[in-house]
């Protein structure tokens, strides 16, 4: 993936002794070569917009079927904000991705708050760490169809992104354009 700008913030060593990196970039998150990718999700787990919509267009029909099968198997028709569901990588396996973490950071009316974003992001990073992933890429949750600005998301996410997630060696926050990258960089420092 070609980025116009990339900023790297080094963190203290993770508990496994390797330094954790928080990388800020702009571009297409689906082109990232990472072990796991966080996918924005609506409460019905329909891959209809944002990263989920792009995934579906990139050949993610199997992922959509897996999500709907999970809902049926669990007897649910929707999930509350703060929920995550993990699936296989679908078409992103070609980039080395092994796990998709579908993160529901908005409610049925596409509303959210910073506490919900923190809870959702923490659950997504924990799920990746628990499954042995060493690298993860994530979008700015609740900033597309949701009500948050990039700065709001980054302010909410900062304590989660700077926390220790044993096993995760790199976390990439991938935003859509250079202006969003500048806002993320200014907020995350």
């Amino acid at each position: 993936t070609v980025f116009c700008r990339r900023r790297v913030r080094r963190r203290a060593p993770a508990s496994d002794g390797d330094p954790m990196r928080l990388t800020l970039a702009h571009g297409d998150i689906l082109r990232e070569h990472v072990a796991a990718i966080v996918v924005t999700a609506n409460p019905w787990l329909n891959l209809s917009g944002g990263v989920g919509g792009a995934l579906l267009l990139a050949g993610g029909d199997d992922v959509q079927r897996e999500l709907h099968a999970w809902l049926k198997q669990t007897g649910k028709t929707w999930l509350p904000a703060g929920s995550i569901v993990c699936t296989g990588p679908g078409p992103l396996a070609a980039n080395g991705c092994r796990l998709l973490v579908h993160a529901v950071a908005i409610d049925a009316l596409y509303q959210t708050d910073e506490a919900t974003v923190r809870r959702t992001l923490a659950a997504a990073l924990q799920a990746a760490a628990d499954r042995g992933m060493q690298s993860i890429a994530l979008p700015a949750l609740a900033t597309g169809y949701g009500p948050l600005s990039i700065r709001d998301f980054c302010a909410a996410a900062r304590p989660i992104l700077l926390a220790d997630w044993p096993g995760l060696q790199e976390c990439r926050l991938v935003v859509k354009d250079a202006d969003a990258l500048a806002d993320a960089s200014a907020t995350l420092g």
Side-chain angles (χ1 to χ4, degrees):
T1 304
V2 177
F3 299 101
C4 295
R5 293 181 7 195
R6 186 180 283 227
R7 298 184 189 260
V8 177
R9 178 185 176 97
R10 291 246 176 229
R11 289 190 26 207
S15 60
D16 60 6
D18 292 329
M20 173 76 172
R21 290 183 313 275
L22 172 59
T23 305
L24 307 180
H26 73 84
D28 182 353
I29 193 170
L30 300 183
R31 294 175 161 241
E32 293 294 319
H33 292 269
V34 290
I37 293 180
V38 175
V39 178
T40 54
N42 58 45
W44 307 277
L45 300 179
N46 290 321
L47 299 176
S48 59
V51 177
L55 175 63
L56 187 62
L57 290 174
D61 295 321
D62 288 342
V63 175
Q64 183 64 87
R65 282 190 287 278
E66 188 176 350
L67 288 167
H68 287 166
W70 184 89
L71 285 171
K72 185 175 182 179
Q73 183 179 15
T74 60
K76 299 177 191 265
T77 56
W78 62 279
L79 295 175
S83 302
I84 59 113
V85 175
C86 295
T87 66
L92 304 185
N95 292 346
C97 182
R98 299 185 330 228
L99 178 73
L100 297 177
V101 183
H102 303 269
V104 181
I106 45 93
D107 65 19
L109 298 175
Y110 288 79
Q111 297 302 305
T112 195
D113 56 38
E114 291 184 7
T116 301
V117 167
R118 277 192 296 276
R119 189 173 69 249
T120 308
L121 184 55
L125 293 176
Q126 188 65 57
D130 288 349
R131 289 162 176 79
M133 303 298 117
Q134 293 182 344
S135 59
I136 189 166
L138 61 109
L141 300 174
T143 62
Y145 290 102
L148 299 183
S149 69
I150 295 294
R151 287 180 183 261
D152 291 340
F153 167 80
C154 290
R158 191 173 199 281
I160 304 304
L161 294 174
L162 299 179
D164 185 25
W165 299 98
L168 284 175
Q169 296 176 4
E170 181 178 14
C171 179
R172 297 180 196 170
L173 172 59
V174 182
V175 295
K176 61 184 173 182
D177 58 40
D179 289 338
L181 180 64
D183 285 346
S185 182
T187 306
L188 290 171

